[in-house]
Structures are given as structure tokens and as C-alpha cells.
Amino acid sequence: MRMKTLVLALCVAVAVAPRVSEAQARFGMQVSVADDMDVGLGARLRSDGRWLFPNSPVSTIVALDVFFPGGDVTYFELNGNMAYNFTPRGSSVRPYAGGGLHLARIDRGSYSGSSDTELGLNILGGLAFPGAGRTLPFVELKLGIGGGEQFILAGGFHF
């Protein structure tokens, strides 16, 4: 099942890469703290919405988080979100809010020998802090609804 998920993710990436390359995109790294799966590390790609909606304040955010709940249990989430970017006048902080889909997978290893993969929804909100040089720091709150239900606080940098 892991190979099928990886192949599907690569196919989606190849399909959207040409259009995303036309937009302004930033790669990033993040650390996440979840109420159920403890601490995770992840990578993300944030792109302005020009490749979907020209001249729109919408961004797309694709993120992969790997969590470390302990033992030989492994858990990851692949998230695809759209966010509306608010631009308050004179502010050095840029809030955003949105939602999307996530694919959550847990492998319980030798504990029970079982694994589950579920599809769910995300609701998210965050703050980006432009003006920090070439990096763009952010903090984000995300609530998973459906598969992979958990509350996540993430923070990191886009490059």
C-alpha cells in the first residue's frame, strides 16, 4: 500500500508541476505538534493561486508531515489545501484561512500488525511573517475532520 500511495503522490506532482512552475512557489520545512500523534517533521510547498485563479488572493499549500508517536508505530499525513490570504493595510503579518483534503496513514507495526489509510478534511488558519529576508516564517493551526482527526500546531519557514 505504501508504494501505491507514493506512486499516486508522484503522479499528481508531475501533473501539476508545469502549471505550478508558472506561479510563485516557495518550498518550506515545518515542525508540527499534534494532540494525538505527538511531534512531526514535514515539508511543504506554498504557491500563489495564479495557476488556478489568476489575480486572486488564494494560495495552495501542499504538505507532508511524518509523526513520531512512539514504539514502532508510524503515522503520516499528506495535505492539499487552499487558503485565502488576507492583506491588512500597514501590517507586517499576513493572516490566511482555508481548508482542503488530507490523506492520513497509520502503521501499527508489530504491535497489532495493522494499518489504516483514511481520507479527511482540513480546516486551517495561520500567520505568515514577510520581511524576514529570503525566508518566510509562518505558524499554522489545523483541525483534521474525518480520517486522521487531530488538532495540529505547525510552524516553520518557506524559502
Side-chain angles (χ1 to χ4, degrees):
M1 186 63 163
R2 286 184 187 184
M3 185 55 93
K4 288 181 184 178
T5 304
L6 180 60
V7 169
L8 177 63
L10 289 174
C11 288
V12 170
V14 168
V16 300
R19 299 214 50 200
V20 171
S21 66
E22 297 171 6
Q24 184 181 25
R26 288 178 170 245
F27 176 75
M29 303 298 289
Q30 66 188 30
V31 174
S32 301
V33 178
D35 66 346
D36 195 22
M37 291 295 165
D38 296 332
V39 177
L41 298 174
R44 63 193 278 145
L45 179 68
R46 182 180 178 126
S47 173
D48 64 21
R50 285 188 290 186
W51 64 281
L52 285 175
F53 306 107
N55 302 318
S56 155
V58 174
S59 292
T60 57
I61 304 168
V62 177
L64 174 65
D65 286 304
V66 178
F67 289 87
F68 306 99
D72 60 351
V73 175
T74 58
Y75 179 83
F76 76 85
E77 285 188 7
L78 178 61
N79 299 281
N81 298 300
M82 295 193 75
Y84 183 87
N85 301 297
F86 302 95
T87 52
R89 262 193 197 168
S91 176
S92 61
V93 176
R94 292 190 185 158
Y96 61 91
L101 297 173
H102 70 256
L103 178 74
R105 173 142 175 98
I106 187 167
D107 185 357
R108 293 175 187 86
S110 62
Y111 176 71
S112 70
S114 67
S115 62
D116 290 311
T117 304
E118 297 179 339
L119 189 62
L121 300 175
N122 291 321
I123 298 172
L124 61 92
L127 299 171
F129 303 95
R134 296 181 54 93
T135 61
L136 178 65
F138 70 91
V139 293
E140 183 177 278
L141 296 173
K142 182 172 58 175
L143 175 63
I145 303 169
E149 295 175 356
Q150 63 178 347
F151 182 75
I152 299 172
L153 171 63
F157 295 92
H158 290 103
F159 304 102

